[in-house]
Structures are given as structure tokens and as C-alpha cells.
């Protein structure tokens, strides 16, 4: 067989060999995104949280790392008594106890989380201490609280009069039904990009209002509420955590970006993974926010009403997100 005939005959086989690797997901792709040599620092957060996002921006401007900025930024909302889904002032569980969840992930892929912690306001900072000072990734409940006390955190009453009043009103309904406000969650997931060109993130919440005691959502679960891969990008989630966990939303978005999807398309795909299991329009909200190493940002939610905060060049903007349902 001459060379021409051989090439003709094996054309189909060759096509398979040459095309398949491109058409198949490259699971170990180190990231196919251009990495800026002169990174412009920025911070993005779920929801309209200008003070928290500005705070993170200032920490970045002062030359601190992305992980420092993210933890300091979200700390603003953890102390904000008006925010009833994060930190002190967060809505309690159905027994009237406030329990908080948080996680952090840095540019090296290291991470830490605390679950169902009582009496400690700054749980994102505590998650960072778990990451830096223990051989573990997750501490839960009493162990996390004990660790906080050992690190010098002061125990505080996290249930404000306002949250107590709202809980008592809920109790009068008589039926156990946790509440999640479709239009206005405030769980804060934040991703920062620092002057060394590194990405890190933090996610912190009091979770679902009037949840069962011990219930933990997506926010402190690495890969669900937050995921960072410094070669590719990062993603954060807000909304009904059970649905985010089932689809490992933030990890999914980062993997989709690794394989070339824009942050916007990756967020849309992660939302559709949830929607394809629903019959019709669901009565819950899930929203995603993502960025890649090229500084592109994407956001998408199930229901309308989601927005994100974007800090760059000393200015913070609130940017409305598109949604699957209008
Ligand atoms: C959770 N994702 O615990 C959180 C709730 C949330 O705004 O985002 N609230 O499921």
C-alpha cells in the first residue's frame, strides 16, 4: 500500500486520534487562560455589600494577600447586625440558636472550614486559623468553638433582639418550615485577586433561617460554597445550599472554566445542572459568582434579584446578574 492510500484508508482512524483529545474534557488541564503579568487587583462579592467589598479592596491596595483581604472583607458583614444571614444578628435555627458556617481557600489550594459554630462572630477568620494552625480542614460544632476560645476569640451572644422577635413570630406558625428569602439572601462569598496575581476566597453564613439544629449548607463546604484554583479561577455560591451541594456547584464552575468556558457560561451551566432536575420553576434561589485568571467575571442565578459587588481601581459597583427566570 502506498503512502497516499494508507493515509486515505486510515483517515477515519486518524480523525478519531487527532480530534478526540480536543473534544474530550482535559481533566488535568492546568488552565488554558492567559495570566496577566500586571494584575489589577479586584474583589467580588455576592450581593450588594459595598462596605465589605471596599474593605477587601483597601486591604488589597495596602499590599496584603488575597486571603487576608477576603477574610477582612467578609468580617464587615459578620459584624453587621442588619445582615440577618451572616454572623452576629444572623437568623437562628428552629430552637432559637444561631450557628454559623464558613470556609476559606487560598491560592495554594489550601483551605479551612468551620461548621455549626455557636457564639463566635468571625467564623471566616476562624476557618483561616483552622487552615493555618491545625492539620485539619474542617472543625465542627463544639470542637470549632473550643478551638476559637483557644485562639483567643471572645464568646458572644449572636442572637439580636430583632432576630429573636422574628424567630418568635415564625414559631407561632406552628409548622416547621425553614425559610430562605428568594429575593434577598446575604450570605457573602468573596473572591479577591491580589497584587501578586493570586486568587483566594472566603464564604460565611448563618445558613437557612430556622433550619434544624445541626443543619449545615453549602457555604462551608469546599467545592460547593467556594472553590479556588489559582491556575484557573474561583467561584462562590449563595442560595439554597442543599441544591448547591448536590451539584458541587463551585467546583463544577472552576472545572468548566479550566476547560475553556467563560465565567459567565460556567455559572449558567451550573445553574442549569440544578434546573434540569426540577419540574418547572423552583421556589428557591441559587446564585453563582465566578472569575477567571484573566479577570473576567460571570454571575447567574435561578431567580431574578441577584447582584454582585465589584471593586476595582478604588471604586465599588453593584452589578445586577442575569437569571434563568425573569
Ligand atoms: C446555606 N447558602 O446555608 C446558604 C444560605 C444562603 O443567603 O446563601 N443564604 O444554604
Amino acid at each position: 500500500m502506498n503512502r497516499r492510500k494508507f493515509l486515505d484508508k486510515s483517515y477515519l482512524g486518524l480523525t478519531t486520534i487527532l480530534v478526540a483529545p480536543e473534544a474530550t474534557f482535559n481533566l488535568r488541564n492546568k488552565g488554558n487562560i492567559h495570566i496577566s503579568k500586571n494584575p489589577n487587583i479586584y474583589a467580588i462579592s455576592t450581593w450588594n455589600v459595598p462596605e465589605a467589598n471596599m474593605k477587601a479592596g483597601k486591604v488589597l491596595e495596602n499590599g496584603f494577600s488575597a486571603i487576608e483581604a477576603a477574610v477582612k472583607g467578609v468580617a464587615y458583614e459578620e459584624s453587621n447586625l442588619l445582615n440577618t444571614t451572616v454572623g452576629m444578628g444572623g437568623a437562628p435555627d428552629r430552637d432559637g440558636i444561631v450557628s454559623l458556617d464558613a470556609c476559606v481557600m487560598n491560592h495554594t489550594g489550601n483551605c479551612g472550614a468551620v461548621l455549626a459554630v455557636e457564639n463566635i462572630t468571625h467564623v471566616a477568620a476562624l476557618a483561616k486559623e483552622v487552615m493555618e494552625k491545625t492539620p485539619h480542614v474542617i472543625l465542627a460544632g463544639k470542637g470549632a468553638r473550643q478551638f476559637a476560645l483557644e485562639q483567643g476569640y471572645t464568646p458572644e451572644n449572636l442572637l439580636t433582639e430583632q432576630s429573636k422577635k422574628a424567630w418568635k413570630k415564625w414559631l407561632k406558625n406552628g409548622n416547621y418550615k425553614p425559610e430562605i428569602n428568594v429575593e434577598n439572601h446575604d450570605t457573602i462569598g468573596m473572591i479577591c485577586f491580589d497584587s501578586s496575581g493570586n486568587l483566594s476566597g472566603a464564604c460565611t453564613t448563618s445558613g437557612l433561617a430556622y433550619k434544624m439544629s445541626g443543619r449545615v449548607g453549602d457555604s462551608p463546604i469546599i467545592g460547593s460554597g467556594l472553590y479556588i484554583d489559582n491556575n484557573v479561577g474561583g467561584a462562590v455560591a449563595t442560595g439554597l445550599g442543599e441544591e448547591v451541594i448536590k451539584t458541587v456547584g463551585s467546583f463544577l464552575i472552576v472545572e468548566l472554566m479550566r476547560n475553556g468556558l467563560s465565567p459567565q457560561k460556567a455559572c449558567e451551566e451550573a445553574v442549569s445542572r440544578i434546573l434540569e432536575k426540577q419540574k418547572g420553576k423552583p421556589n428557591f434561589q441559587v446564585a453563582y459568582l465566578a472569575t477567571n485568571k484573566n479577570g473576567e467575571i460571570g454571575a447567574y442565578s435561578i431567580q431574578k434579584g441577584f447582584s454582585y459587588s465589584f471593586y476595582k481601581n478604588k471604586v465599588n459597583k453593584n452589578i445586577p446578574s442575569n437569571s434563568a427566570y425573569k
Side-chain angles (χ1 to χ4, degrees), residues 85 180 185-187 205 207-208 215 217-219 238-242:
T85 60
I180 191 148
H185 313 268
D186 307 292
T187 287
T205 191
L208 211 55
R215 179 268 184 189
D218 62 312
S219 304
T238 177
L240 185 62
E242 280 74 1

Side-chain angles (χ1 to χ4, degrees), residues 45 71 125 137 146 166:
S45 300
V71 167
V137 168
Q146 179 59 32

